[in-house]
Amino acid sequence: VKSVTVSRSWPSALTVRVVERVPVVAVPRPGSIDLYDTEGVLVDRVGQVPPGTPRLAVATGGAPGREVVTAAVDLLRALPPALRVHVRDLRADGPASLSFSFADGAQVVWGNGERTPEKVRALELLVRQHARRYDVRVPDRPAVVPR
């Protein structure tokens, strides 16, 4: 539960409003999948990754810190819907070392959260090349590895 508010109205009404946490990334662990919300809070442990939920692999192999989950979620939020729906696997070697894969297997090296709008624009232009790898860490000088 993310938040709960209770209010009363006289003479006899009581209203309870519950806002649930929504998982946005799945972190595979031995024997289970941890689901985290936009604030990096562990929401649930499940047996399978829910459909449409990107996996997040962390360098330590353990539970990611809030900083790492938040950086990954910020990256996802920054992507336009037309690109976001194709994201399958995220990797975080730390909050300043992010990358992800598209459903077609193409890799995107993102880096940190700086200059995000410029990175998004560079990626939007580059994906038209249908490459194997896109590197937008320096959006002024992006790199592409063709298929």
Side-chain angles (χ1 to χ4, degrees), residues 6-134:
V6 179
S7 59
R8 66 178 180 186
S9 299
W10 292 102
S12 61
L14 184 67
T15 304
V16 178
R17 182 173 176 256
V18 177
V19 176
E20 293 185 25
R21 292 188 179 274
V22 177
V24 293
V25 292
V27 179
R29 304 275 304 227
S32 68
I33 306 292
D34 290 349
L35 302 177
Y36 289 86
D37 74 352
T38 59
E39 296 172 354
V41 174
L42 178 63
V43 174
D44 199 3
R45 281 204 168 102
V46 296
Q48 294 181 357
V49 176
T53 305
R55 295 173 192 249
L56 172 61
V58 293
T60 62
R66 280 191 178 187
E67 192 174 62
V68 169
V69 173
T70 302
V73 169
D74 288 347
L75 184 160
L76 286 172
R77 281 184 182 162
L79 294 174
L83 291 177
R84 189 179 324 125
V85 298
H86 300 292
V87 174
R88 292 297 172 262
D89 296 307
L90 293 132
R91 176 153 182 87
D93 293 330
S97 182
L98 301 169
S99 60
F100 60 92
S101 299
F102 283 129
D104 68 358
Q107 301 289 316
V108 178
V109 181
W110 193 264
N112 60 28
E114 294 176 9
R115 300 181 66 189
T116 295
E118 294 167 80
K119 290 177 182 182
V120 168
R121 181 67 183 137
L123 184 59
E124 286 178 311
L125 295 171
L126 293 174
V127 294
R128 298 174 190 166
Q129 296 181 24
H130 304 286
R132 183 173 44 171
R133 180 179 163 127
Y134 309 97

